[in-house]
Amino acid sequence: MEIAVKTISSYAVSACQLLALFVILTGVVKALWIYVRHSLFTLQSGIAFQRSRLELGYSLSLGLSFLVGGSILRTTIAPSWNDIAQLAATITIRTVLNYFLLQAIDNSTRIVAIAANQDAELPLDLDPVAQIDGQRLA
């Protein structure tokens, strides 16, 4: 019975890691597509940047969640104290990354909503494109 549980746990960990990889790669492709489509075919590169950043952020957040789940599953079968300490460190790092990622997503969501309501380019103070003395560099 123990061997079956270990085998199932191993497959579940692999599935979580594959799901994380798939979600993150899909997010990267979608974010790149959004950016290229909006920046090449419209003049709204600031909005394109924020929308692609949002898409990538959602995918990274979900991917990190799958990785945390996989890490937890990996240590469920007879963990040592060293395994538990490594799990705690890994979950702490991934949770902090996810927290800051969600903060960036929230900021980008507000910027995109402001730009959509104005139906124009982002104001210079909200545009992520570098600027000097009110002039765009890109």
Side-chain angles (χ1 to χ4, degrees), residues 1-116:
M1 181 66 172
E2 184 179 337
I3 295 172
V5 172
K6 285 184 179 182
T7 303
I8 292 171
S9 177
S10 174
Y11 284 131
V13 169
S14 296
C16 285
Q17 291 173 340
L18 284 174
L19 284 170
L21 178 67
F22 176 75
V23 167
I24 292 171
L25 285 177
T26 302
V28 167
V29 170
K30 285 176 69 176
L32 182 62
W33 174 250
I34 289 168
Y35 181 75
V36 168
R37 184 179 49 158
H38 286 283
S39 65
L40 291 180
F41 302 118
T42 65
L43 299 176
Q44 299 177 339
S45 63
I47 295 172
F49 175 79
Q50 292 298 333
R51 286 186 178 158
S52 64
R53 185 175 168 194
L54 270 175
E55 185 65 41
L56 183 59
Y58 287 131
S59 297
L60 289 174
S61 179
L62 182 58
L64 280 172
S65 296
F66 280 123
L67 289 173
V68 166
S71 296
I72 291 170
L73 285 173
R74 185 180 304 117
T75 58
T76 57
I77 308 295
S80 66
W81 285 108
N82 188 32
D83 293 338
I84 293 172
Q86 286 178 348
L87 175 65
T90 301
I91 289 177
T92 301
I93 290 169
R94 288 179 180 165
T95 302
V96 168
L97 284 173
N98 203 22
Y99 172 77
F100 286 116
L101 184 59
L102 291 175
Q103 293 294 323
I105 288 172
D106 184 46
N107 186 36
S108 292
T109 303
R110 282 186 272 128
I111 291 172
V112 168
I114 290 169

Side-chain angles (χ1 to χ4, degrees), residues 111-128:
I111 291 172
V112 168
I114 290 169
N117 288 337
Q118 294 177 352
D119 198 25
E121 275 288 315
L122 292 174
L124 287 177
D125 60 332
L126 294 177
D127 198 336

